[in-house]
């Protein structure tokens, strides 16, 4: 089956993150404290958060505009450079008082030893005036909100309101416990932990389904897609839930898998796939992403398409 996303235009709003990897060798324990000593040999930076969503859209062939914020620092400059090098239309706002969100992972062999996060108060990244992006939203085929709770899309409802007025479908990767902020979206894609943060622990599948339908009704969603790591994904739409098992041969690293999920869902829906077919396509994409180390993007060639 031939799929062509080259005419699809996506706009991604969200929290932009620099994923920094330090690779090295660990052969001893520190004499100063019971911690491993890593002799760093290589450093690699990748796009994370909303930027990874945009990268996945771009790597699958779509045209993408990324809207988010960075600090006035070296990490922010590096992120902007990576975004531009990936062929992503950059609408990045520089917040002078903010620190660019960065996750530094120290890796020995293929084992993550520790992660060091650099971030500021989310309100330093807070952005309120999304009306200036109205023309970009009206020109897009679909709108994606990638909320990592770092502040930029604190009021996702303002983006959703503009998108709905322009009759655009809106997909949200949620993070907030107060999920009413996503009211009016077309669908949301929580993982199981995020889902239970919203509605509490579920004892069984029946309870998960009842709570999923409750969210769909409260938020006036078209559907909800629950991502479940090695257990695949579940689509809740209408009166039924449809579970799709992962096709990954091995789950190696789930970092950024949710970014791949929402990006591929957006593209699938944009070319006319049904929700079920889009979830099946997205599941194939995410299965490739979790079989690789670190945040990554997927191409049509990876899918054999």
């Amino acid at each position: 089956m031939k799929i062509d996303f080259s005419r699809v235009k996506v706009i991604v709003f969200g929290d932009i993150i620099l994923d920094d990897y330090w690779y090295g060798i660990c052969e001893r324990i520190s004499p100063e404290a019971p911690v491993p000593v890593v002799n760093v040999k290589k450093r690699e930076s990748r796009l994370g958060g909303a930027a990874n969503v945009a990268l996945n859209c771009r790597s699958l062939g779509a045209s993408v505009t990324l809207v988010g914020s960075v600090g006035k620092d070296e990490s922010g400059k590096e992120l902007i450079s990576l975004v531009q090098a990936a062929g992503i239309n950059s609408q990045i706002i520089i917040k002078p008082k903010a620190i660019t969100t960065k996750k530094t992972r120290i890796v020995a062999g293929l084992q993550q030893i520790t992660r060091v996060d650099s971030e500021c108060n989310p309100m330093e990244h807070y952005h309120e005036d999304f009306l200036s992006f109205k023309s970009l939203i009206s020109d897009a085929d679909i709108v994606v909100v990638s909320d990592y709770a770092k502040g930029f899309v604190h009021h996702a409802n303002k983006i959703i309101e503009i998108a709905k007025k322009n009759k655009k479908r809106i997909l949200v990767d949620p993070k907030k416990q107060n999920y009413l902020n996503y009211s009016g979206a077309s669908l949301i894609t929580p993982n199981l932990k995020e889902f239970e943060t919203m509605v509490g622990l579920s004892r069984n599948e029946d309870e998960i389904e009842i709570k999923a339908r409750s969210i769909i009704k409260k938020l006036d969603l078209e559907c909800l897609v629950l991502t479940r790591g090695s257990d695949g994904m579940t689509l809740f739409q209408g009166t039924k839930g449809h579970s799709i098992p992962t096709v990954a041969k091995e789950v190696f690293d789930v970092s950024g898998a949710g970014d791949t999920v929402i990006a591929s869902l957006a593209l699938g829906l944009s070319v006319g796939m049904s929700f079920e077919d889009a979830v099946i396509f997205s599941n194939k994409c995410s299965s490739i992403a979790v079989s690789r180390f670190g945040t990554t993007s997927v191409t049509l060639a990876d899918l054999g398409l």
Side-chain angles (χ1 to χ4, degrees):
M1 177 179 64
K2 180 69 174 177
I3 301 178
D4 183 7
F5 297 123
S6 62
R7 296 185 179 182
V8 176
K9 295 181 181 179
V10 185
I11 183 166
V12 178
F13 291 89
D15 298 306
I16 302 173
I17 299 171
L18 181 64
D19 280 344
D20 205 19
Y21 293 86
W22 292 18
Y23 300 101
I25 300 169
C26 179
E27 297 178 327
R28 62 193 178 96
I29 300 298
S30 171
E32 304 166 353
V35 295
V37 176
V38 179
N39 184 2
V40 175
K41 299 294 185 180
K42 184 179 73 170
R43 182 203 163 200
E44 179 185 14
S45 293
R46 303 184 189 183
L47 296 174
N52 189 39
V53 176
L55 179 62
N56 271 270
C57 290
R58 186 74 191 106
S59 66
L60 286 167
S63 297
V64 194
T65 298
L66 173 64
V67 183
S69 63
V70 297
K72 193 176 182 180
D73 50 28
E74 288 304 313
S75 293
K77 291 179 183 177
E78 187 171 7
L79 261 172
I80 291 172
S81 177
L82 288 171
V83 167
Q84 292 173 342
I88 298 167
N89 181 23
S90 174
Q91 294 289 324
I92 297 174
I93 299 163
I94 297 174
K95 302 280 187 176
K97 295 182 179 180
I99 295 172
T100 300
T101 304
K102 180 167 74 170
K103 298 178 181 179
T104 301
R105 296 171 174 89
I106 313 297
V107 181
L110 289 176
Q111 177 65 49
Q112 186 177 150
I113 304 299
T114 190
R115 194 181 91 184
V116 181
D117 288 5
S118 301
E119 58 187 27
C120 58
N121 186 320
M123 295 313 291
E124 297 294 346
H125 281 285
Y126 171 74
H127 193 73
E128 187 172 16
D129 180 21
F130 291 103
L131 280 173
S132 59
F133 302 105
K134 183 179 177 180
S135 61
L136 288 172
I137 292 173
S138 64
D139 190 47
D141 295 304
I142 199 159
V143 179
V144 175
V145 175
S146 176
D147 189 354
Y148 271 79
K150 304 302 180 185
F152 188 76
V153 286
H154 182 72
H155 288 305
N157 56 302
K158 294 188 176 183
I159 301 169
I160 293 169
E161 182 182 351
I162 298 169
K164 289 193 74 172
K165 284 181 179 178
N166 283 271
K167 296 180 170 50
K168 303 298 179 180
R169 186 169 263 161
I170 315 102
L171 280 59
V172 179
D173 190 357
K175 187 66 69 175
K176 294 182 179 64
Q177 184 173 0
N178 178 18
Y179 58 87
L180 294 175
N181 192 46
Y182 309 121
S183 181
S186 305
L187 68 83
I188 61 175
T189 60
N191 60 34
L192 189 57
K193 181 180 178 181
E194 291 161 349
F195 178 79
E196 292 188 329
T197 297
M198 294 175 182
V199 297
L201 296 175
S202 299
R203 292 168 293 183
N204 51 50
E205 289 298 316
D206 288 341
E207 197 167 318
I208 288 175
E209 183 164 348
I210 290 169
K211 290 178 177 178
R213 299 203 182 288
S214 175
I215 292 178
I216 290 172
K217 184 175 181 180
K218 283 184 180 179
L219 302 188
D220 191 27
L221 306 173
E222 292 183 69
C223 66
L224 182 149
V225 177
L226 182 63
T227 62
R228 313 179 76 157
S230 59
D231 291 326
M233 302 161 67
T234 305
L235 167 66
F236 296 99
Q237 180 189 20
T239 59
K240 63 179 181 178
H242 183 62
S243 292
I244 302 164
T246 182
V247 293
K249 294 180 180 178
E250 182 180 4
V251 177
F252 188 67
D253 188 349
V254 297
S255 300
D259 303 333
T260 302
V261 166
I262 200 162
S264 49
L265 272 174
L267 299 195
L269 293 171
S270 295
V271 295
M273 291 184 191
S274 66
F275 281 114
E276 187 172 330
D277 286 342
V279 171
I280 291 170
F281 172 69
S282 180
N283 186 53
K284 291 178 181 177
C285 292
S286 63
S287 294
I288 292 171
V290 300
S291 68
R292 297 170 174 171
F293 182 79
T295 48
T296 187
S297 59
V298 176
T299 68
L300 291 177
D302 292 329
L303 296 161
L305 298 174

